[in-house]
Amino acid sequence: MTAPTLICSKNQENGLNIKKMKNSDSIGFKLLDQFRDGRNDKIWWRVFALLMIATVATRFYKLDQPDHVCWDEAHFGKYANFYINRTFFFDVHPPLGKMLIGLFGYLDGYNGSFHFDKPGDKFEEHQYMGMRIGCAVMGALLVPLSFLTVWEMTFSLPAATFGGLLILLDHGMLTLNRFILLDPPMLFFISAAIYSMVKFHNQRHRPFSLPWWSWLSSIGVMLSCSVAVKFVGIFVVIFVGCRTIADLWEILGDLSRPVSYTVKHFMARAICLIAMPTLLYMGIFYIHLAVLSNSGPGDGFYSSAFQVGLKGNYLHDGSTPRQVAYGALLTLKNAVTSGAYLHSHDHLYPEEIGGSQQQITTYAHKDDNNNWHVKRHNKLAPSWNSTRPIDFVRNGDLLRLEHFATGRNLHAHRSLAPITIKQFQVTGYGLDGVGDNNDIWRLEIEDGEEGQILETMLHRFRLIHYNLGCALTCTKKKLPAWGFEQDEVTCNPNRRDPNAIWNIEENIYPRLPNVSFRAYEKNFFQRFIESHVVLINGNSALKPKEGEATSKPWMWPINLRGQFFSGGQLQVYLLGNPIIWWGNLVFMVFYLILWVSVGVRTKRRITVTQREIMLQERALSACGWLWLGWLLHYLPFWGMSRVLYFHHYFPALLFSSMMSGILLDYVIESIPLSLPKNSFNASYAAILSATLLILFYSFYLFSPLVYGLVRYADTNSTMHHLHWLSTWEF
Amino acid sequence: MGDTEVKNRKVNRNKNKNEKNKEIPNPAVDPRDEGDGESTPEALPEELTEEPILKKSASPKKSEKKQRKAGSATAGQSLADLPTLAVTCHFNLLPMLLFGVALATRFYALDQPNSIVFDELHYGRYAGLYQKQTFFFDSHPPLGKQLLALAGYLGGFQGDFKFDKIGSSYNASVPVFAMRAVPALTGSLLIPLVYMIMLQLNYSQWTAALAGFLFLFDNALLTQSHYMLMEPIILFFAMSGVLCVLKFRALERSGNAQAHSYSLRWWGWLLSGSIFLTCALCVKYVGVYSYLLGLALVGHDFWEKVLGNLSLTKKQVFGHAVARFFAFFVVPLMVYIGVFYIHLTTLVNAGPHDSAMSSAFQASLEGGLSSIVRGQPLEVVHGSQVTLRHAHGSPCWLHSHAANYPVKYADKRGSSHQQQVTCYVAKDINNWWIVKRPNRTDLAVAAPLDRISHGEEIQLVHGITGRNLNSHNVAAPASPTKQEVSCYVDHNVSMPAQDVWRVEITNREEIGDVWHALESMVRLIHVNTSVALAFSGRMLPDWGHNQHEIVGDVMINQPNTIFNVEEHRYTRNEDEKDRQLELMTTDFIPLEPVVMGFWEKFFELQIRMLFISNENVQNHMYTSSPWEWLVLTRGIAYWVSPDSNAQIHLLGNIFIWYSATIALAAYCSLLVFYLLRQRRQCFDIHEEAWNQFRTTGEVLLLGYVFHFLPYFFVDHTLFLHHYLPALAFKLLLNAALVEHLYYLTRLVFAKQFFNWMCVLIVLTWMSGILMVFNKFLPLCYGLGPMNATQILDLKLRETWDFIVHKP
């Protein structure tokens, strides 16, 4: 915290010399002057200390309440369990946040025994406080970080104080940062990255010094951590990227330095902001995959080859021939996320669906009905004890698949599939393996060469119906009761459907030597890449269900509707402090007006006082970046099709609150300017205290939402008159 | 650094050439001054336009010119007179010539195939509905469809043809030629338009002709212009708008901008620019990007040239701001509303999409709902028979039928086993409910009317089964977190009836406290448990006939809890049997239509179009993603002949598309390169060249980015034809880059030889384009017959899925 001393000279240059003002005779005004000045170390530290005390007080008060699972704690607590028990799971977010939660729990001695089944479950004797405290600490750090960020951006103590206060006194930030959620770590990493960025920017006059390097690497670390908590961290990466380009542009414009100097700067940033974070990010995944070494509920989302590496998975210890030959007994697995096995059973499609032939479905569990005999389209399958040379299945072959248990061939014909009526129906047809030529399928290995031998697990392939030219597809739609709610299988004229890809999982053929499944195990890089494919698919699959009331981005900034964290006797409701949120909106518009008016003024060369220019410059340059940051963290949600929640707005709120802090300072500094000179200090003090009063009172007013609101049956309770918007549901 | 020195050297060396370069685009300059014939780098487009395919369309002028051209080409170095000829004779001819070829290609075999091609299914149907004045709902604005309809009307279309599926043949009643002439004509006009745009951007006529050439011989633009589709229309409006805005800019930037201000020309270009751009927006909402481009250009000029012009007084600046505001905000709004005014005043009959709109809207249409609800009583009273429609989102009506909830659900939960209450998407006599006060037993309505108002408690009696709407603390069938709603059946299991509901009218500021049919939006709040009657969006399984689930929801403030009374009449009979008979048989005699003002209809339609459009074609076979458009990964099958493999497939001219993508990358790299160099105070090219290069970026690159980037953030199914507006800007950029590269060649190499090399390369490139165009021409017109080998021969990329259904 050496910063404050460093700055003083700057302010003097800018002519913010408060001493010129009159009326600084009383002690109160002297203090006020020092506060506005910000050069006095003592005052600076006192303000900071006060802020920290308030932070600790608000964040940790009644942290153990409610003593039951709140909202998404049900998920993230569960994930922490998985880390502690080292069982593999799947979640749509990258691992760092959950790893940290797991770590907090572990450090506290939590043994992963609580089930986190559903919100509302009592923790009872389980050690949940470690995780809550860990998250609360990360969340609490947001306040000093925003204080310091604003300080580094403007070197104005009032602005920094406001920046910190607006985060401190926002119920939304407070509520979100007190529970076992991903948001506290993510918000922490984001604001730490921004802080490092401004800190680094302020080192620009002594490049390649030790602090310069350390802040630069700190940006890199924080960036990769924020991406590793949630993918929305990518927005802060873009933000920092923009800032970096602007910096480099400045450096390039300095003609007193050679071009190689810019290149040197560029390389330093490339190493610290691209290469190092990438490695760190991969390192985090490495730990994730190394820790989760046991089979668990997430297995099914990953490919067969991935599952081989998980202890306790049936594939971990199994063995099978590598190549597939005619006559082998196979199970076919749909090669997409949580794909199931191709299945048939001795039941017919209902009469009204047409065909009355045997059902073909996919089934997620291992079952004897998943076994299929593979044979050439024109020959019977060779018996297992024949001595003729082994006939391998090759890419491009025409083949039939005979269901082992019922002797029906996999068959498709020109009638409508039961649910997806735009596709063709797939049935089991024939008797003891004798069918017709609608049973013939052509094997197309993905990216395979003609004549290549089909291999277990490694190859992904399509089965193209020979007559219809359509591809065997699992539509992932559930059949009704007559199909035992298994998934529908169709023949899809769109051969590019990603659901049309299959792989061989089990391959029974005694004439070929068995190879342990371990041979197919993926190395780290393959697992890393596959994890990402699955994550991204998982994320985009989170579509809102029809008719479900979803939260829309336009509702967020206006604080239209909150989110229940805990119902029952002790209500906790995530809702922003309306004064702060609506104030943020006002300041956002105010910034635009200011920006345009200053632009017009420069364009028209209208002169104003030195002091006004200085104030505006201070506010505008900092706010410009914060505005961009807000935009980057908010706008993309408009184009997202996945389910959105209210809490997605909070990273953007960080930016807009900091900006409001700066502009609040600007306004409070500017308004008294228009008043008579001798009343400057008095009016400044009046406005300042009024602002603070409103902020603190609004915090007090809505604080029961955070610390638990006892639910009253009658509508005349104290909180009832606080329904300023009819959409607030507490 | 030595950069400056280099710069100076280069500039000096090329000084005289540069002057000449500046003059080329200006037809007023006496061409004789231009000297050595270097000014004809792209001299070859018009030679090429003659070669292809469509020789028969060549005009006498053209062949004449060909000879002249051939003569001059052989003349070799004695080129002194070539530019003379070129400039004086060709200036007017070039665009005319290009336009002629465009007309020929666009109108060739226009009525073939005589069956529905791709989205003609929709647009043709809409044109038909216009003839019948029948209301329809589409999430795009109506201008394009209106033009088609107008053409159809002039061609004698009665709207009798049923557009059932792609590929079915048109009969004689459909004026196919007239209707397809709209896109064909606008598509042809594009070519002279882009020619003029390039001239306006200070490029030479040869570059302008090259741009026209690229537009002319792109297969995708041709295909799109050949059928009743919207893209050529939108492109025409957008490009016209851009041209007008550029003309306006030229006035603004000319030496005596003051003199031009508020002149007729000034207003003319400004207004026509904004009107054309708004028309583009009125064809499809994507036109908004062209509008934004125009706005950005005009705004930028205002900022720099007007606001930055200190010789203007405050008042003058203000005046300019107001004029521009008027042109770019007030006029577009008027045009937009005007288009919708025509739309809504034309379509007065009820039609197939009525149910997308509110009941009041439907009631204002002739026939359909209006014949039912017309003349029905307004105020809901004790004894009213009503149907309750779910007011927002998917339309359905509160429904019950004589079947109970199953005792156990599939997931082993129990139910109340009382009578099912659902939301049913079709009109049905089981949708009738009778409003009743809890304390009254008679049902027949008699004077004085016992009106129901906001906050009063009622019971709802199901008309056919006579049971009361009830809710209780039992989990709903498909949404276990919500409360079940049933029609009360007393199973004698100590489950009392909880069948009193409180009426809450949400829009009583406008309508008043008394419950009105159609207009009042009501919430029914269950008095015992304070839940609201809500549509959950889930579907019931077979036992519930796959109807939608109705629940009691604690979340009261949400659109799914709002219902309105659609059909309404007063009960006449006290006897239950008679009442049922009445429900089954009666129909009200229309008395007087419901009138809904234009503005109400307009705003409702806007809201529905902008917010409730979710026509998302999931899993369509020919979808593509924006990245794939850059390299033309996928086409779209438009039509296939029933008898052979002849087919129409939307595919760009792959040669043009690849070159344009490369040109885009090259332009961007050059731009970055120049900017970086200028940052170091090194100026590699002349100021004029740089200004031209920069303006190109402002208009064309920005236009491309505006039309392309948003697709990465939208969330509906995308097809190749969404790329065409962006492609148009990319093609222009490509032509511009060719001239810039030619300029660079001359800057770097002093020798004539290299200039001719350039010309030769461009020539070869163009002939390549023609060859590819020719090869894929059958896919544009759907001419046949073709056999499987011919089709497979065209399959240059593995990912192009042509239809092969015959040997």
Side-chain angles (χ1 to χ4, degrees), chain A residues 249-259 262 422-423 480-482 485 492-499 543 545-549 561 595-596 599-600 603-606 636 638-641 726-729, chain B residues 1 303-304 306-314 317 394 410 535-538 542 548 555-560 614 617-622 634 675-677 679-681 712-715 795 798-801:
Chain A
W249 187 248
E250 279 304 313
I251 294 166
L252 185 69
D254 180 5
L255 291 180
S256 66
R257 304 269 191 175
V259 176
T262 310
K422 283 189 174 169
Q423 301 176 5
W482 54 257
E485 304 208 328
N492 189 348
N494 178 8
R495 298 191 208 167
R496 293 186 199 288
D497 195 315
N499 289 328
K543 296 263 159 108
K545 292 176 197 96
E546 170 112 24
E548 196 177 52
R561 180 168 290 154
W595 184 66
V596 171
V600 170
K603 209 74 201 169
R604 300 295 296 172
R605 310 238 175 97
I606 297 169
W638 285 81
M640 277 188 201
S641 57
S726 59
T727 44
W728 295 349
E729 295 136 330
Chain B
M1 293 295 295
W303 188 261
E304 291 295 330
V306 181
L307 203 65
N309 184 352
L310 294 179
S311 67
L312 292 176
T313 63
K314 236 183 224 172
V317 171
S394 48
F535 167 81
S536 74
R538 296 212 166 82
D542 285 348
H548 290 286
M555 290 255 289
I556 289 168
N557 279 312
Q558 52 156 330
N560 282 335
N614 41 5
V617 200
Q618 287 294 326
N619 205 5
H620 190 281
M621 188 165 169
Y622 288 99
R634 309 272 294 152
L675 285 175
L676 289 179
R677 293 275 294 165
R679 185 78 186 156
R680 301 296 297 180
Q681 302 297 325
F712 288 98
F713 302 101
V714 298
D715 166 42
K795 193 169 172 166
E798 190 47 39
T799 46
W800 292 355
D801 285 333

Side-chain angles (χ1 to χ4, degrees), chain B residues 759-773:
Chain B
V759 175
L760 198 69
I761 289 169
V762 172
L763 190 82
T764 326
W765 175 55
M766 288 166 76
S767 41
I769 288 173
L770 279 180
M771 273 164 57
V772 176
F773 173 74

Side-chain angles (χ1 to χ4, degrees), chain B residues 338-383:
Chain B
V339 167
F340 272 93
Y341 185 78
I342 298 172
H343 183 70
L344 288 172
T345 44
T346 314
L347 305 180
V348 293
N349 297 324
H353 300 162
D354 286 12
S355 57
M357 309 304 292
S358 71
S359 306
F361 192 102
Q362 292 180 47
S364 70
L365 299 169
E366 291 288 321
L369 186 66
S370 71
S371 66
I372 306 166
V373 300
R374 178 178 296 173
Q376 70 184 12
L378 181 67
E379 290 162 336
V380 177
V381 301
H382 168 77

